Amino acid sequence: MFYFEKMRFIDVNSFYGNSYLCAITFSPFSLGMITLDSALNHTHIAFMQEALKEAHKAQDKGEVPIGAIVVCQNRIIARAHNLTETLQDPTAHAEMQAITSATHALGGKYLPDGTLYVTLEPCVMCAAALRWAQLGILVYGASDPKQGFMRIGTHLLHPKTEITSGVLEAPCSEMLTRFFARKR
Protein backbone atom coordinates (compact mmCIF):
# COMPACT_ATOMS: atom_id res chain seq x y z
CA MET A 1 0.00 0.00 0.00
CA PHE A 2 1.25 3.48 -0.88
CA TYR A 3 1.10 6.24 1.74
CA PHE A 4 1.61 9.99 1.74
CA GLU A 5 2.26 12.23 4.70
CA LYS A 6 -0.86 13.94 5.98
CA MET A 7 -1.54 17.06 3.94
CA ARG A 8 -4.47 19.46 4.00
CA PHE A 9 -4.34 19.97 0.24
CA ILE A 10 -3.07 17.52 -2.33
CA ASP A 11 -2.89 18.22 -6.06
CA VAL A 12 -3.11 14.64 -7.25
CA ASN A 13 -1.67 15.48 -10.66
CA SER A 14 1.66 16.40 -9.09
CA PHE A 15 1.95 12.80 -7.83
CA TYR A 16 0.79 10.98 -10.93
CA GLY A 17 1.21 13.37 -13.86
CA ASN A 18 -2.14 12.43 -15.38
CA SER A 19 -5.68 13.71 -15.35
CA TYR A 20 -7.26 10.94 -13.30
CA LEU A 21 -8.18 11.32 -9.68
CA CYS A 22 -6.22 9.56 -7.00
CA ALA A 23 -8.27 10.56 -4.00
CA ILE A 24 -7.01 10.59 -0.44
CA THR A 25 -8.54 9.22 2.74
CA PHE A 26 -7.36 8.34 6.18
CA SER A 27 -6.48 4.71 6.70
CA PRO A 28 -6.97 3.12 10.11
CA PHE A 29 -3.59 1.44 9.59
CA SER A 30 -1.72 4.57 8.58
CA LEU A 31 -1.53 6.28 11.98
CA GLY A 32 -2.22 9.75 10.62
CA MET A 33 -0.95 9.06 7.13
CA ILE A 34 -3.08 9.17 3.98
CA THR A 35 -3.66 6.25 1.66
CA LEU A 36 -5.19 6.08 -1.79
CA ASP A 37 -8.77 4.81 -1.82
CA SER A 38 -10.17 3.59 -5.13
CA ALA A 39 -13.78 3.56 -3.88
CA LEU A 40 -13.53 7.28 -3.12
CA ASN A 41 -11.90 7.79 -6.55
CA HIS A 42 -14.94 6.30 -8.25
CA THR A 43 -17.30 8.39 -6.13
CA HIS A 44 -15.44 11.61 -6.93
CA ILE A 45 -15.33 10.73 -10.62
CA ALA A 46 -19.06 9.90 -10.75
CA PHE A 47 -20.03 13.14 -9.04
CA MET A 48 -17.63 15.21 -11.16
CA GLN A 49 -19.29 13.74 -14.24
CA GLU A 50 -22.55 15.17 -12.91
CA ALA A 51 -20.88 18.57 -12.55
CA LEU A 52 -19.67 18.24 -16.15
CA LYS A 53 -23.28 17.70 -17.24
CA GLU A 54 -24.10 21.03 -15.63
CA ALA A 55 -21.17 22.63 -17.46
CA HIS A 56 -22.64 21.36 -20.74
CA LYS A 57 -25.94 23.05 -19.84
CA ALA A 58 -24.08 26.33 -19.33
CA GLN A 59 -22.29 25.91 -22.64
CA ASP A 60 -25.60 25.27 -24.43
CA LYS A 61 -26.82 28.64 -23.10
CA GLY A 62 -23.69 30.45 -24.29
CA GLU A 63 -22.34 30.69 -20.74
CA VAL A 64 -18.80 29.87 -19.69
CA PRO A 65 -19.05 26.08 -19.22
CA ILE A 66 -18.63 25.64 -15.51
CA GLY A 67 -20.86 23.28 -13.57
CA ALA A 68 -21.26 22.46 -9.90
CA ILE A 69 -23.17 20.09 -7.67
CA VAL A 70 -23.47 19.79 -3.90
CA VAL A 71 -23.60 16.35 -2.32
CA CYS A 72 -24.72 15.49 1.21
CA GLN A 73 -24.81 11.92 2.50
CA ASN A 74 -23.92 10.60 -0.96
CA ARG A 75 -26.98 12.32 -2.49
CA ILE A 76 -27.01 15.30 -4.87
CA ILE A 77 -28.94 18.11 -3.19
CA ALA A 78 -28.08 20.93 -5.62
CA ARG A 79 -27.14 21.30 -9.28
CA ALA A 80 -26.00 24.54 -10.87
CA HIS A 81 -24.06 26.10 -13.71
CA ASN A 82 -22.86 29.56 -14.66
CA LEU A 83 -25.66 32.03 -15.31
CA THR A 84 -23.72 35.30 -15.45
CA GLU A 85 -24.79 36.14 -19.02
CA THR A 86 -28.36 34.87 -18.65
CA LEU A 87 -28.97 36.85 -15.46
CA GLN A 88 -26.60 39.71 -16.35
CA ASP A 89 -25.17 39.17 -12.87
CA PRO A 90 -21.40 38.94 -12.34
CA THR A 91 -21.96 36.97 -9.13
CA ALA A 92 -24.04 34.21 -10.77
CA HIS A 93 -21.18 31.73 -10.82
CA ALA A 94 -21.95 28.01 -10.70
CA GLU A 95 -20.64 27.75 -7.14
CA MET A 96 -22.78 30.65 -5.90
CA GLN A 97 -25.88 29.15 -7.50
CA ALA A 98 -25.07 25.74 -5.99
CA ILE A 99 -24.54 27.17 -2.49
CA THR A 100 -27.87 28.98 -2.62
CA SER A 101 -29.72 25.93 -3.89
CA ALA A 102 -28.08 23.60 -1.34
CA THR A 103 -28.72 25.82 1.66
CA HIS A 104 -32.37 26.17 0.62
CA ALA A 105 -32.63 22.38 0.23
CA LEU A 106 -31.24 21.87 3.75
CA GLY A 107 -33.07 24.78 5.34
CA GLY A 108 -29.95 26.40 6.80
CA LYS A 109 -27.01 28.56 5.82
CA TYR A 110 -24.16 26.14 6.56
CA LEU A 111 -22.85 23.13 4.61
CA PRO A 112 -20.36 21.43 6.97
CA ASP A 113 -21.46 17.99 5.74
CA GLY A 114 -21.60 19.09 2.11
CA THR A 115 -19.21 18.37 -0.72
CA LEU A 116 -19.07 20.79 -3.62
CA TYR A 117 -17.95 19.34 -6.95
CA VAL A 118 -17.07 22.05 -9.46
CA THR A 119 -15.41 21.74 -12.84
CA LEU A 120 -13.08 24.73 -12.36
CA GLU A 121 -11.18 25.92 -9.30
CA PRO A 122 -13.38 28.52 -7.58
CA CYS A 123 -12.51 32.19 -7.84
CA VAL A 124 -11.79 34.31 -4.77
CA MET A 125 -15.43 35.46 -4.51
CA CYS A 126 -16.73 31.90 -4.56
CA ALA A 127 -14.08 30.69 -2.13
CA ALA A 128 -15.12 33.39 0.34
CA ALA A 129 -18.77 32.35 -0.05
CA LEU A 130 -17.75 28.74 0.59
CA ARG A 131 -16.02 29.91 3.76
CA TRP A 132 -19.20 31.60 4.97
CA ALA A 133 -21.17 28.45 4.11
CA GLN A 134 -18.61 26.42 6.10
CA LEU A 135 -18.34 23.87 3.32
CA GLY A 136 -17.00 20.49 4.43
CA ILE A 137 -15.23 19.33 1.25
CA LEU A 138 -14.31 21.06 -2.00
CA VAL A 139 -13.52 18.91 -5.06
CA TYR A 140 -12.60 20.63 -8.31
CA GLY A 141 -11.46 19.55 -11.74
CA ALA A 142 -9.32 22.08 -13.60
CA SER A 143 -7.03 24.55 -11.88
CA ASP A 144 -7.32 28.26 -12.66
CA PRO A 145 -3.91 29.89 -12.15
CA LYS A 146 -5.18 33.32 -13.29
CA GLN A 147 -8.44 33.69 -11.33
CA GLY A 148 -8.53 30.74 -8.91
CA PHE A 149 -8.46 31.15 -5.15
CA MET A 150 -5.27 29.08 -4.82
CA ARG A 151 -3.21 31.98 -6.15
CA ILE A 152 -4.04 33.65 -2.84
CA GLY A 153 -4.19 30.53 -0.67
CA THR A 154 -6.38 28.04 1.12
CA HIS A 155 -6.96 30.46 4.01
CA LEU A 156 -9.88 31.89 2.00
CA LEU A 157 -11.82 28.70 2.75
CA HIS A 158 -13.13 27.63 6.13
CA PRO A 159 -10.29 26.09 8.19
CA LYS A 160 -12.05 22.71 8.28
CA THR A 161 -12.72 22.54 4.53
CA GLU A 162 -10.88 19.67 2.86
CA ILE A 163 -9.71 20.15 -0.73
CA THR A 164 -9.15 17.68 -3.57
CA SER A 165 -8.11 18.93 -7.00
CA GLY A 166 -7.55 17.41 -10.41
CA VAL A 167 -10.67 15.23 -10.58
CA LEU A 168 -11.32 14.66 -14.30
CA GLU A 169 -9.03 17.60 -14.95
CA ALA A 170 -8.56 16.86 -18.67
CA PRO A 171 -12.24 16.92 -19.69
CA CYS A 172 -12.91 19.92 -17.45
CA SER A 173 -9.99 21.87 -18.97
CA GLU A 174 -10.74 20.79 -22.53
CA MET A 175 -14.32 22.01 -22.32
CA LEU A 176 -13.16 25.47 -21.26
CA THR A 177 -10.34 25.56 -23.82
CA ARG A 178 -12.73 24.67 -26.66
CA PHE A 179 -15.29 27.22 -25.48
CA PHE A 180 -12.81 30.09 -25.44
CA ALA A 181 -11.22 29.00 -28.75
CA ARG A 182 -14.65 29.31 -30.40
CA LYS A 183 -15.14 32.76 -28.83
CA ARG A 184 -11.93 34.11 -30.38
Side-chain angles (χ1 to χ4, degrees), residues 3 5 16-17 39 41 44 59 77 86 102 113 120 125 165 175:
Y3 293 100
E5 288 186 29
Y16 292 93
N41 286 347
H44 282 336
Q59 182 174 294
I77 63 166
T86 302
D113 299 321
L120 182 67
M125 173 186 69
S165 71
M175 179 180 275

Side-chain angles (χ1 to χ4, degrees), residues 78-101:
R79 295 174 176 272
H81 52 272
N82 267 8
L83 291 171
T84 57
E85 298 300 323
T86 302
L87 299 177
Q88 292 296 294
D89 179 356
T91 67
H93 292 193
E95 301 94 326
M96 302 294 274
Q97 302 298 311
I99 292 167
T100 300
S101 182

